[in-house]
Amino acid sequence: MSIPLTLVLGGARSGKSRYAEGLVTAGPAPWVYVATAQAFDDEMVARIARHRADRADGWQTVEAPLDLAGALDAAPAGATVLVDCLTLWLTNLMLGEHGITAAIEALEAALDRRAAPVVLVANEVGLGIVPDNALARAFRDEAGRLNQRLAARAGRVLFLAAGLPLTLK
Amino acid sequence: MSIPLTLVLGGARSGKSRYAEGLVTAGPAPWVYVATAQAFDDEMVARIARHRADRADGWQTVEAPLDLAGALDAAPAGATVLVDCLTLWLTNLMLGEHGITAAIEALEAALDRRAAPVVLVANEVGLGIVPDNALARAFRDEAGRLNQRLAARAGRVLFLAAGLPLTLK
Amino acid sequence: MSIPLTLVLGGARSGKSRYAEGLVTAGPAPWVYVATAQAFDDEMVARIARHRADRADGWQTVEAPLDLAGALDAAPAGATVLVDCLTLWLTNLMLGEHGITAAIEALEAALDRRAAPVVLVANEVGLGIVPDNALARAFRDEAGRLNQRLAARAGRVLFLAAGLPLTLK
């Protein structure tokens, strides 16, 4: 496995999406933006529109709330792919009662099939107090495990705070 | 813009205030402590009193729950100023329904007018799970954006955990 | 005080337990695992069983939900001790209305009595938004203070995210 895989971790509004975009656009186009966000409500519609407006020209945007593996396979062979973000994808899987383990394995297999760089964005959600409700606890456990698993595969892992990176790997 | 601006980020009880005080008192007096805390209730009164008792002698304390720019302008020209903290200031602005954008721009202009060092303390609040209520989500978005914006201007940015610093910049 | 004390900080599912176990098993046996978890409910029973199954052979496991000092004193003189974790221990103390200050002082005295390495695991819980309820706020304040206090004594302090360490000290 020699894929140049980068994982960009960070909290809400830590600048992780913008930083990840900068990593991608520092290399040659084409660039494919794989958005996992689903616009359930006005708040999400506004957030998605703001993110899209913030991106530079030259991006192809693909929406993949569930089938990340399919989106990676469908991207042009030489394109650099940015997945933003894994944590929303996990949310979508859990809310839809899709199988998480199979989906993660399919994602990993798709990552193995890519030769061009991939940048994954994920939220760190485990640094607050223990949530009151069991679903939130289960979610942060799954999110933490997913981050660990992809960090182990990645060649480069960054932790973003206030728009600035700390290098984990 | 050549101001020697430092931003100290960290979670609750991460030792960020004490660390920031150490940065200031490592340089020559006078030192001005700009407190943004408002004592709404007994818990806050106790917290403010504890912070004040923890500080070394030689500080001038100014309370500025809203008008940070005014407090910076009023500080003696050669004084090193510590602002503790930006996140409470943002809370005060939002609770009082003051304009956030104008207040931040006024703060940045006041920072530009200072020649002596300024140390800003801010909370990182975006590393837990997504809050249930919309106001809390809006707050952490604003807090994250404010941190990014001031981190971009600062010459030095530190992330504190357990009283120890990681250097972001 | 020349004890080789390590503190491993991190969020939920940050890989801190596994990383701490790796630090211990990189050195010679015997290894003593001091578990502070109490199995109140099925969720905790499952979590404890999963952690225990994940550990390599060669560990002696001791349960010490409250008397950490006693567990440290009872460990064989040359054994490396892993305490997992301080934050659950603090929870147990607070829920049981035990004196926190005296318990921490007893822990520190017991650490001073050990010549062999000790690795402490603790949660960072202060990086989300301010919790709604006063008990949660008091807890994260106590947890933060405990982390600061032990970080000051430790020779090595690590912050884990996604299974990877950042060196605080």
Side-chain angles (χ1 to χ4, degrees), chain A residues 43, chain B residues 94 131-141:
Chain A
E43 189 178 324
Chain B
M94 289 180 77
D132 285 333
N133 76 79
L135 182 61
R137 288 196 299 277
F139 173 72
R140 72 174 196 162
D141 282 356

Side-chain angles (χ1 to χ4, degrees), chain C residues 11-59:
Chain C
R13 301 306 298 178
S14 62
K16 60 191 183 306
S17 293
R18 185 175 305 186
Y19 191 88
E21 288 164 29
L23 290 179
V24 171
T25 58
W31 311 316
V32 176
Y33 182 92
V34 178
T36 61
Q38 284 183 299
F40 295 114
D41 56 27
D42 290 354
E43 188 177 325
M44 279 307 297
V45 169
R47 189 181 285 259
I48 290 170
R50 197 170 54 232
H51 272 267
R52 189 184 285 252
D54 284 351
R55 274 200 294 283
D57 289 336
W59 286 88

Side-chain angles (χ1 to χ4, degrees), chain A residues 109-130:
Chain A
L111 289 170
D112 282 346
R113 285 190 290 271
R114 289 205 70 77
V118 176
V119 178
L120 305 172
V121 175
N123 275 76
E124 171 57 53
V125 298
L127 289 158
I129 62 158
V130 180

Side-chain angles (χ1 to χ4, degrees), chain B:
Chain B
M1 188 182 61
S2 64
I3 51 159
L5 181 64
T6 300
L7 176 62
V8 179
L9 286 169
R13 301 307 298 180
S14 63
K16 59 191 184 307
S17 294
R18 185 174 306 188
Y19 191 87
E21 287 163 28
L23 291 179
V24 171
T25 58
W31 312 317
V32 175
Y33 183 91
V34 179
T36 60
Q38 285 182 300
F40 295 114
D41 55 28
D42 291 351
E43 189 178 324
M44 279 307 297
V45 168
R47 189 180 286 260
I48 291 171
R50 199 169 53 231
H51 272 266
R52 189 184 285 251
D54 284 350
R55 274 200 295 284
D57 289 337
W59 287 88
Q60 178 195 342
T61 299
V62 176
E63 296 188 10
L66 293 168
D67 187 14
L68 268 191
L72 285 165
D73 285 343
T80 301
V81 176
L82 170 56
V83 176
D84 189 6
C85 75
L86 290 177
T87 316
L88 273 172
W89 173 66
L90 183 66
T91 305
N92 297 338
L93 289 173
M94 289 180 77
L95 290 178
E97 301 185 10
H98 298 271
I100 293 171
T101 304
I104 293 172
E105 287 170 0
L107 168 62
E108 293 182 319
L111 289 169
D112 282 346
R113 285 190 289 271
R114 289 205 69 78
V118 176
V119 179
L120 305 172
V121 175
N123 275 75
E124 172 56 55
V125 298
L127 289 157
I129 61 157
V130 180
D132 285 333
N133 76 79
L135 182 61
R137 288 196 299 277
F139 173 72
R140 72 174 196 162
D141 282 356
E142 292 290 354
R145 272 194 281 268
L146 177 61
N147 289 350
Q148 283 186 54
R149 190 157 163 170
L150 289 164
R153 302 175 78 85
R156 180 171 50 166
V157 184
L158 303 167
F159 181 91
L160 265 279
L164 300 168
L166 292 165
T167 300
L168 281 160
K169 187 180 185 179

